[in-house]
Amino acid sequence: MPLNYEVVKNWPFKEITQEYTHRDTILYALGLGAATTNPPAPEDLQFVYERKLVALPTFAVMLAGSGSWVGNPETGITLTKLLHGEQFLTIHKPLPAQGVMVGKDRVEAVYDKGADKGAVLIVARDIREKESGDLVATTGMSLFLRADGGFGGKADGQPKPHPVPEDRAPDASIDLITRPEQAAIYRLSGDYNPLHLDPKIAAMAGFEKPILHGLCSYGIAGRAIIKLLCNNDATRLRKLNVRFASPVYPGETLRTEIWNEGPGKAAFRVKVVERDLVVLNNGLAEYTV
């Protein structure tokens, strides 16, 4: 069954309400490798200590989502050939350390790259505080549907990835570790895909061992950006967009490199130090100065 464009483009999303507590906020930060020293680094303590707790802004990507609707047979999407291509996040208001959020997804576009080249699906979500109705964040992703091109849709108009300078060295960089058990902790924030824990499932997918969640690597990049550009003030981050390039294995070191592009704006990428391999690319960060 080919991709059903009309069904996918007009999928009837419902509002999702999610309550989260200080414990959830702390668990998410631990899942991103915060506070791995004793005593914890002062800039990390704010993310794991319930007294004056601060939520990492990337936590928004985990909140009030519609789940794996793309696996519904009515869509015609080949789930086994789906890849998470890009992640987008715009923060409109600092995420509270605990609260109740209401989210509603929407399909923004479906691009047809051709029968032998696949398709690209772009989904977005507005996240609002239930009590005030205030828009807190807009998050989104692009999904590469490797087996679902050729359905007769348009190929033009797809957003271009943010360029990373190739003609000069980065202006700053920072190395952040991941721990061998990183995926086992991160999955407790809601992504229970066995690919990230079960060696047999990982082997079936072609990996030598379980890989780290892409959104975990993304969140670690967010921590790095907050350290490098926001003076450890998480409320200053406004936008964090990135393209996934290669998987990360828990226990590897992630080096985030940034290029300043003017007040409040920077390009970035993330490399695995041990393999000298770019794993997140075409990054764009925006922040208040």
Side-chain angles (χ1 to χ4, degrees), residues 42-288:
E43 65 268 22
D44 281 354
L45 191 61
Q46 62 181 321
F47 303 126
V48 299
Y49 194 22
E50 61 277 9
R51 296 183 180 181
K52 297 184 179 180
L53 182 66
V54 175
L56 283 160
T58 53
F59 187 30
V61 305
M62 305 296 293
L63 297 176
S66 297
S68 56
W69 65 276
V70 293
N72 189 302
E74 293 181 21
T75 67
I77 292 173
T78 309
L79 195 59
T80 57
K81 297 293 184 179
L82 180 151
L83 292 176
H84 190 170
E86 298 166 289
Q87 185 66 40
F88 316 111
L89 175 65
T90 299
I91 298 292
H92 306 285
K93 177 182 178 181
L95 189 68
Q98 63 180 4
V100 182
M101 296 292 160
V102 178
K104 188 172 184 180
D105 288 354
R106 63 182 180 275
V107 171
E108 293 206 321
V110 189
Y111 298 101
D112 189 351
K113 299 171 70 70
D116 57 344
K117 296 182 179 180
V120 175
L121 169 63
I122 298 181
V123 183
R125 179 190 316 143
D126 287 331
I127 301 171
R128 299 180 181 273
E129 284 184 305
K130 182 177 181 180
E131 183 174 356
S132 68
D134 290 348
L135 181 62
V136 174
T138 300
T139 182
M141 67 179 77
S142 74
L143 301 174
F144 181 30
L145 314 178
R146 293 179 292 167
D148 299 313
F151 59 86
K154 295 182 179 181
D156 58 334
Q158 184 177 344
K160 295 182 179 179
H162 189 74
V164 173
E166 298 289 346
D167 57 348
R168 60 186 176 97
D171 296 304
S173 67
I174 187 172
D175 290 357
L176 295 177
I177 67 167
T178 66
R179 298 173 62 89
E181 69 274 21
Q182 202 73 64
I185 300 173
Y186 181 82
R187 69 194 302 268
L188 298 177
S189 288
D191 187 340
Y192 293 100
N193 187 335
L195 174 66
H196 307 291
L197 190 70
D198 189 330
K200 293 181 180 178
I201 299 296
M204 290 172 60
F207 299 106
E208 60 182 70
K209 51 189 175 182
I211 61 174
L212 194 61
H213 303 70
L215 284 180
C216 182
S217 301
Y218 170 81
I220 293 172
R223 286 181 54 220
I225 294 297
I226 291 168
K227 290 175 182 288
L228 289 171
L229 298 176
C230 302
N231 194 28
N232 295 305
D233 182 356
T235 65
R236 290 173 56 190
L237 187 64
R238 288 290 175 265
K239 185 181 292 289
L240 194 73
N241 298 345
V242 79
R243 171 170 285 196
F244 297 104
S246 294
V248 175
Y249 291 103
E252 295 184 314
T253 306
L254 297 181
R255 174 172 296 160
T256 300
E257 302 174 329
I258 67 162
W259 288 261
N260 293 318
E261 296 187 327
K265 183 178 179 180
F268 72 94
R269 70 182 178 192
V270 179
K271 300 173 71 173
V272 165
V273 173
E274 291 82 355
R275 292 183 283 146
D276 191 28
L277 177 69
V278 175
V279 292
L280 302 179
N281 207 355
N282 303 109
L284 169 64
E286 294 182 0
Y287 56 99
T288 56

